Every structure is written in structure tokens, then in C-alpha cells.
Amino acid sequence: MNAARTGRRWLCSISFAAVAVGSTPIAAQSSAPGAGVRATPRPPPPPRATTIAWSLEATPGPTITMAQRSSFRLWLVARNAGPAVADTQRDSLEWFVNGQPSLQLSMAFGNGGRTRQWEALAPRGTVREAREGAWLVPSAGTFVFTIRMNGREVARQVVTVR
């Protein structure tokens, strides 16, 4: 019986404390306009400014023949324009061909080994990597390769196959 009374006292103390903490004396309440109104949540901060400049390059050039397709290379190039070592955040890139998302390019440039430079690019340093083959430009026509980071286009290369 004694333990039951102690338990009830303890519960009453917790309930009283919760009510006391949650209540505000009338004198302390503000009568300013908007008092008691919840603030609008802040939008997320914009992405951090980066010192990395991206480009896409085509070799043997932006205009090739059907016979040159097998030796075609699309280069991903990152240049650090800043004064300090920077992570390129290459995994954040989104790949597009003719305005459509390209899982094939994302996987081709996303998988495989990489040099450490991609994660720690020296000031004014450049790092580059290519993918090669006719699969990049499967037919005659114009191919627009773009990469985006955080929803913003950061590089574009137009390739014409004749």
C-alpha cells in the first residue's frame, strides 16, 4: 500500500510539473501583432558555392563521321578555380542526353576506380576522365550531352555524327 501511494504521488508530481511548465502567466504573454503565431519555416540554404568548373569535351572533335564512332571519347573535366584543395563532388552529377536523363552515362562515369584527385583537387588543378565507344553516339545525328549539379546545368557538349 505504501508503494502504491508513493507511485500516485510521483505521478501527480509529474502531471503538475507538466502543467506548470506548459502554462504561461497572463502578464508574461505578448500582445504584439503576430504573437503566438508560428513562424514560417525557413527554406533550405542554397548549395555551397563551389570553385569547381566543369566541362565536357569530345575527341576527335564535336563533329565526327560514322566511321569514327568507335574511337569517339567523351571527357568529363573538372578544374579547381579556387585557392584551396576542393572535393569535386562528382557523385552529385546528373547526366542527360538530348534533354533526357541518361542512366547509361551515370553508370559509366559513376562506376569504377578513380584517382584521389576527384576528392581532393589541388588549387588550379585539373582532373579528367573519358568514356569511349560507338555506344555514346549510336547513330547519325546530333547528340547534346549535359551534366547538372543541384538541378543546375554545369556543362554541355554538342556532338554531330555525319
Side-chain angles (χ1 to χ4, degrees):
M1 179 89 174
N2 200 10
R5 256 192 316 183
T6 304
R8 272 189 243 133
R9 257 191 244 148
W10 182 75
L11 259 168
C12 289
S13 297
I14 290 175
S15 298
F16 177 73
V19 170
V21 169
S23 64
T24 305
I26 292 175
Q29 291 180 349
S30 172
S31 60
V37 176
R38 289 188 174 177
T40 304
R42 291 183 183 178
R48 287 188 339 209
T50 181
T51 60
I52 303 298
W54 292 98
S55 63
L56 292 172
E57 297 173 3
T59 57
T63 302
I64 63 172
T65 65
M66 288 291 286
Q68 293 173 309
R69 289 180 316 124
S70 62
S71 62
F72 174 76
R73 286 186 180 173
L74 181 65
W75 292 88
L76 173 64
V77 182
R79 291 181 184 87
N80 183 356
V85 172
D87 182 350
T88 64
Q89 299 179 4
R90 174 178 160 170
D91 289 332
S92 299
L93 294 175
E94 300 170 284
W95 289 85
F96 294 82
V97 178
N98 296 333
Q100 298 300 311
S102 175
L103 180 60
Q104 194 171 20
L105 277 175
S106 293
M107 290 178 63
F109 279 98
N111 292 327
R114 294 185 194 161
T115 65
R116 178 164 156 52
Q117 287 180 297
W118 289 102
E119 285 79 35
L121 188 55
R124 291 167 297 286
T126 299
V127 63
R128 54 193 290 129
E129 191 173 296
R131 297 298 180 262
E132 179 179 273
W135 66 271
L136 292 162
V137 284
S139 63
T142 300
F143 299 88
V144 180
F145 298 95
T146 56
I147 50 174
R148 295 181 189 167
M149 183 176 269
N150 299 321
R152 196 180 115 241
E153 184 176 305
V154 294
R156 172 183 291 248
Q157 177 65 59
V158 179
V159 176
T160 303
V161 179
R162 295 178 188 223

